[in-house]
Amino acid sequence: MAALAAAVLAGPGVAQAAPQAAPAPASVPREQAAAATITWNLERASNPTEDQRTAYNLITAAMNAAVARYNNLSDLGKAITVRYDPGVPTADGNINGTIRFGNRGYMNERTALHEIAHTIGVGTSSGWSSIGGGGTWRGAQATALVKQFDGSGATLSTGGGHFWPYGLNYDNEFSNTAADRHVQIVAAMVRDGL
């Protein structure tokens, strides 16, 4: 939790905590694959207005918290470019790695988590169409995970480029538990072929 709090207070860039691995005995050589990380950059005006400075501060806090959560709970990797665009009614994310925030009410961690999922492929990739089309996610790993969370009858519903439960589609869906499960499900969807 301290790493997450520290990452939220840091400026834009890589908000991450290195995973802790059990040390191997000195006599046993060990190879360790580097985990991928999500990084982000906020495009800023060279001479920002007060409106832009306020938006940049809100976006920075939201993205740092969301990226720290993704990097602490998954091995997903993506380089994301973030923009403040007042013409965007809410926020949007694209598989090309861009996120745009418009409305101040959406400059929060819940929205950032949700939009990062779109940059990774939720609702935006061919894998999403083939595995998530038809109203139910059919990938084994994410399906098993939602059953672990919610019981043997649970399913991941899909529609309109979104999933539920744990898709964090609305602010009233946010809690620390739901946010953690969101990241775990997105990572499982990637393993399923997202």
Side-chain angles (χ1 to χ4, degrees):
M1 190 55 75
L4 183 60
V8 168
L9 297 175
V14 179
Q16 67 180 28
Q20 299 296 316
S27 61
V28 178
R30 179 172 65 129
E31 286 186 33
Q32 184 174 354
T37 58
I38 293 175
T39 60
W40 73 281
N41 179 56
L42 176 60
E43 291 183 351
R44 297 173 185 259
S46 58
N47 188 20
T49 65
E50 183 62 32
D51 172 69
Q52 289 169 322
R53 282 192 299 274
T54 300
Y56 295 161
N57 289 338
L58 291 168
I59 292 167
T60 296
M63 286 298 296
N64 278 342
V67 168
R69 193 178 299 266
Y70 265 100
N71 287 340
N72 284 325
L73 296 173
S74 78
D75 62 355
L76 299 173
K78 189 77 176 190
I80 300 171
T81 299
V82 180
R83 296 181 183 101
Y84 169 48
D85 183 345
V88 173
T90 57
D92 59 36
N94 190 300
I95 196 162
N96 71 5
T98 60
I99 295 174
R100 299 180 310 160
F101 287 91
N103 185 310
R104 295 263 196 289
Y106 293 90
M107 295 176 185
N108 57 45
E109 182 184 4
R110 192 274 313 162
T111 302
L113 288 163
H114 176 92
E115 299 308 336
I116 289 169
H118 287 311
T119 71
I120 292 170
V122 169
T124 59
S125 70
S126 60
W128 173 266
S129 299
S130 63
I131 303 170
T136 303
W137 183 260
R138 294 181 307 280
Q141 293 198 35
T143 299
L145 195 55
V146 79
K147 289 180 185 302
Q148 175 187 327
F149 295 151
D150 294 345
S152 61
T155 61
L156 274 174
S157 297
T158 61
H162 298 94
F163 70 90
W164 60 92
Y166 309 114
L168 302 180
N169 302 300
Y170 301 99
D171 281 340
N172 66 359
E173 297 175 18
F174 184 85
S175 70
N176 281 317
T177 298
D180 288 352
R181 290 177 178 182
H182 168 85
V183 171
Q184 293 168 320
I185 286 172
V186 171
M189 286 176 161
V190 170
R191 291 190 302 273
D192 282 337
L194 179 65

